[in-house]
Amino acid sequence: MDEQRIQIYLNVIAALLNCPSHQEVMKILALNSQWIDEGFVQVMGQVAEDMVSLGRHYTADWLLNLSQELASSLNKQATPQNLELYQTFLVEVLQTIQDNHNTQMAYLLLVANQDKLNDNLAYVLQAWAIATLPSLSEIAAQYTAATLVEFSNLMKGFGLGNNEVNIEIAIISYQVAATVFTRDRSPHAWATIQSNIALALCERIRGERADNLELVIHYYNQALQEYKRLDFPDDWARAQVNLGLAYWERIRGERAGNLERAIECYQQACTEFTLVRSPQMWARAQNNLGLAYKERVCGKRADNLELAIECYNQALQVYTRSDEPEMWASVLNNLGNAYCDRLSEKKADNLERAIECYQQACTEYTRERFPEVWAKTQNHLGLAYIERIYGDRSENLELAINYFNQALH
């Protein structure tokens, strides 16, 4: 590569690194599309390596992920004629969403054109938005952005085709909509889109899981800047629950600190999502609190396990077998695990409670419907019977062997 071209690459990369948002990144890439080639991707990799040596690991990871996406797009580049077909398809889908009060017709259109649900559509979506949205009136732009949000929702839940790409298209479409529904002009709509992006990132397949979770936390925190408790209590509380889950799953940072943040988020949510007012969301928060307390590092282990058991039992006030069979079984599994680890009360009694919880869970988590969860529960039952104090020792061991063999199926 000649030095002049390398310098152009470096200038474009410097501009990308100074971008305040994903939208600006897309604009810079679109404006410099003639320079985006294999050499550009190679130089991005070299710059990322330099940043690692300087200790800028997060920025290096971001740059490497972007270079990988560009490399993938370069390998799958379509001809101009094909790109025109993608744009025609995109406009048709958006028009179909606008013309119908539900997305059923648009869904059928996606089913019939699964071959176009790929990275080329994502590229066309970005280029189309950059070219089209600025030329529209404010009302028309908002109407189009609202349609893009509906399209994102549809793509995020679309179960056919390549789920990896579907999620990427959804994320990009949300981000494009956020350039119209900005925080200054449409604060609540902007916050909702931030929350939607976070939900999509939770399911994202591309990129490092650790990086995606950092982005999830970032977007939920963005949403919470506008989701004020007094103005939007339900939105605020729901974002707190989801943010708590992101901290619970977080890979970066101290585990102890992440769990404390998760617990704080769940507790905040329960000030609005009460048993009387929002029983389903309250029960979800209680179950999540139980999971966090069971793994908690701070505080006394015995106390944390008691708190976990209390939370699971609270959740079971709402999650009954008749109304919420799957969640009922899930919480019973969690409660069984907590009883197995419990330090308070008699060990023999705790193991009996754990066995009872696992056996109840298996009435819904059957081998036919939930084979993996069923197998895990069989394994837990085997471990509980190995340690069981009540009953005949030899019979308990035979039962344990039977449960382990069941799990091995």
Side-chain angles (χ1 to χ4, degrees), residues 14 46 367:
Q46 293 170 352
R367 181 179 176 184

Side-chain angles (χ1 to χ4, degrees), residues 26 40 43 53 111 115 128-129 145 148 150 157 172 204 225 241 265 275 296 300 339 342 352 360 368 371-372:
M26 292 302 107
F40 180 77
V43 172
S53 65
V111 172
D115 61 310
W128 174 84
L148 286 168
E150 288 298 318
I172 290 168
R204 194 183 191 205
Q225 291 182 35
V241 171
C265 288
L275 174 59
R296 194 183 193 192
K300 293 182 179 179
Y339 275 128
R342 194 183 195 189
E352 294 304 303
Q360 285 191 73
E368 293 73 25
E372 289 187 24

Side-chain angles (χ1 to χ4, degrees), residues 156-157 163 167 198-206 209 212 216:
K156 181 176 171 291
N163 192 44
I167 293 171
L199 283 169
L201 285 165
C202 287
E203 300 178 24
R204 194 183 191 205
I205 298 169
R206 288 185 182 172
R209 179 65 176 159
N212 289 334
V216 169

Side-chain angles (χ1 to χ4, degrees), residues 13 21 26 109 188 216 240 256 313-314 316:
I13 292 168
S21 67
M26 292 302 107
L109 197 55
H188 185 263
V216 169
Q240 292 286 357
N313 280 317
Q314 294 272 59
L316 288 170

Side-chain angles (χ1 to χ4, degrees), residues 257-275:
N258 289 335
L259 287 170
E260 292 306 301
R261 292 187 185 97
I263 289 168
E264 182 182 353
C265 288
Y266 296 141
Q267 289 174 333
Q268 290 267 68
C270 286
T271 61
E272 285 297 331
F273 286 148
T274 63
L275 174 59

Side-chain angles (χ1 to χ4, degrees), residues 86-375:
Y86 280 96
Q87 181 167 318
T88 301
F89 166 67
L90 173 66
V91 172
E92 184 181 0
V93 172
L94 296 179
Q95 191 63 52
T96 301
I97 293 172
Q98 286 187 359
D99 292 344
N100 293 275
H101 295 297
N102 58 56
T103 56
Q104 185 176 357
M105 294 299 294
Y107 179 87
L108 294 175
L109 197 55
L110 294 181
V111 172
N113 291 272
Q114 292 179 53
D115 61 310
K116 296 184 183 70
L117 304 182
N118 54 41
D119 288 314
N120 289 322
L121 183 62
Y123 170 79
V124 166
L125 172 59
Q126 292 167 338
W128 174 84
I130 291 169
T132 304
L133 291 176
S135 65
L136 299 177
S137 67
E138 183 175 351
I139 293 175
Q142 289 183 348
Y143 193 53
T144 302
T147 304
L148 286 168
V149 170
E150 288 298 318
F151 174 63
S152 298
N153 296 339
L154 189 58
M155 288 303 305
K156 181 176 171 291
F158 191 62
L160 303 175
N162 186 333
N163 192 44
E164 176 183 332
V165 178
N166 293 346
I167 293 171
E168 293 301 310
I169 294 171
I171 292 170
I172 290 168
S173 189
Y174 282 134
Q175 290 171 331
V176 168
T179 64
V180 176
F181 292 125
T182 62
R183 185 180 180 187
D184 292 336
R185 289 183 294 181
S186 308
H188 185 263
W190 173 83
T192 301
I193 292 172
Q194 303 302 300
S195 182
N196 286 341
I197 294 172
L199 283 169
L201 285 165
C202 287
E203 300 178 24
R204 194 183 191 205
I205 298 169
R206 288 185 182 172
E208 294 291 329
R209 179 65 176 159
D211 294 336
N212 289 334
L213 284 170
E214 293 304 303
L215 289 170
V216 169
I217 291 169
H218 165 76
Y219 279 108
Y220 278 131
N221 278 319
Q222 288 276 85
L224 284 166
Q225 291 182 35
E226 291 299 332
Y227 281 161
K228 302 300 183 185
R229 182 181 175 185
L230 291 177
D231 298 326
F232 309 104
D234 285 355
D235 292 329
W236 173 83
R238 188 172 289 104
Q240 292 286 357
V241 171
N242 292 335
L243 180 59
L245 182 59
Y247 274 120
W248 184 72
E249 293 183 350
R250 193 184 192 193
I251 297 168
R252 293 204 172 122
E254 296 267 342
R255 182 62 176 159
N258 289 335
L259 287 170
E260 292 306 301
R261 292 187 185 97
I263 289 168
E264 182 182 353
C265 288
Y266 296 141
Q267 289 174 333
Q268 290 267 68
C270 286
T271 61
E272 285 297 331
F273 286 148
T274 63
L275 174 59
V276 175
R277 184 170 169 269
S278 304
Q280 296 295 323
M281 288 301 298
W282 176 82
R284 179 186 169 193
Q286 292 298 320
N287 182 54
N288 290 355
L289 262 173
L291 291 169
Y293 277 126
K294 185 176 179 298
E295 292 189 19
R296 194 183 193 192
V297 179
C298 300
K300 293 182 179 179
R301 175 69 172 154
D303 294 340
N304 290 333
L305 286 168
E306 292 305 303
L307 288 168
I309 289 169
E310 181 183 350
C311 289
Y312 293 139
N313 280 317
Q314 294 272 59
L316 288 170
Q317 293 183 55
V318 176
Y319 292 143
T320 62
R321 186 179 180 185
S322 57
D323 295 333
E324 297 275 354
E326 191 174 340
M327 282 305 304
W328 172 80
S330 176
V331 177
L332 280 171
N333 249 340
N334 295 337
L335 182 58
N337 293 339
Y339 275 128
C340 278
D341 292 346
R342 194 183 195 189
L343 300 176
S344 303
E345 306 296 331
K346 291 182 178 180
K347 179 69 171 175
D349 293 336
N350 289 333
L351 287 169
E352 294 304 303
R353 293 189 183 100
I355 290 169
E356 182 182 356
C357 288
Y358 293 141
Q359 288 174 335
Q360 285 191 73
C362 284
T363 60
E364 287 298 328
Y365 279 151
T366 62
R367 181 179 176 184
E368 293 73 25
R369 293 172 58 213
F370 304 98
E372 289 187 24
V373 181
W374 174 84

